[in-house]
Amino acid sequence: MFKKTAAVLAIASTVAVFAAESHAAAFSAWEVARVPWGDTLNIRKFPSNGSQKQAAYPNGKVLQMTGRCTGGVDLRDISRLPEWKQEQRVRYSWCQVWHDPAQNGNYVTGWVYGRYITPY
């Protein structure tokens, strides 16, 4: 009886972990936009211009956003607003992305400046 109960608890805790991870992986798609010609948008490790650069993408690249931005902005909360209002809300914020900088299946979070993204 004890082994059966322990097995059930182990399965339940595993399911809870995967449920939490799937919620964290939820994203909305935004696109790189308004980057000057010949330049790219840097993805930073932390929300700061001085932070380590993880990757860079050109205009038109669709990004997987976690929904989290600095200043208390949540992309899911503003998703029903017109695009121009969404852009206004993130213009001076850093927003978190979920990306694969080494293109090897190892996704990490990074940050982009909101001025250079638009809803996709």
Side-chain angles (χ1 to χ4, degrees):
M1 178 73 163
F2 177 74
K3 287 183 180 179
K4 186 176 182 181
T5 303
V8 169
L9 288 174
I11 291 170
S13 65
T14 302
V15 169
V17 166
F18 284 121
E21 287 179 5
S22 68
H23 176 70
F27 70 93
S28 56
W30 281 55
E31 182 178 9
V32 177
R34 295 180 299 281
V35 175
W37 185 85
D39 203 355
T40 53
L41 175 63
N42 292 327
I43 309 285
R44 303 284 183 173
K45 187 170 184 170
F46 300 107
S48 166
N49 282 332
S51 180
Q52 175 187 353
K53 181 177 150 183
Q54 294 177 323
Y57 300 110
N59 284 325
K61 169 70 175 172
V62 177
L63 303 172
Q64 296 179 19
M65 311 301 290
T66 67
R68 182 176 163 208
C69 297
T70 58
V73 177
D74 187 319
L75 298 179
R76 292 171 291 252
D77 291 344
I78 65 171
S79 65
R80 290 196 170 96
L81 296 174
E83 283 187 18
W84 68 271
K85 281 191 177 185
Q86 292 180 56
E87 289 173 0
Q88 275 186 334
R89 296 279 172 93
V90 302
R91 183 170 178 84
Y92 301 108
S93 300
W94 287 85
C95 295
Q96 193 175 45
V97 299
W98 183 242
H99 70 122
D100 181 7
Q103 298 180 356
N104 62 3
N106 292 324
Y107 282 79
V108 297
T109 56
W111 295 86
V112 296
Y113 196 59
R115 179 178 181 181
Y116 301 107
I117 58 175
T118 188
Y120 179 71

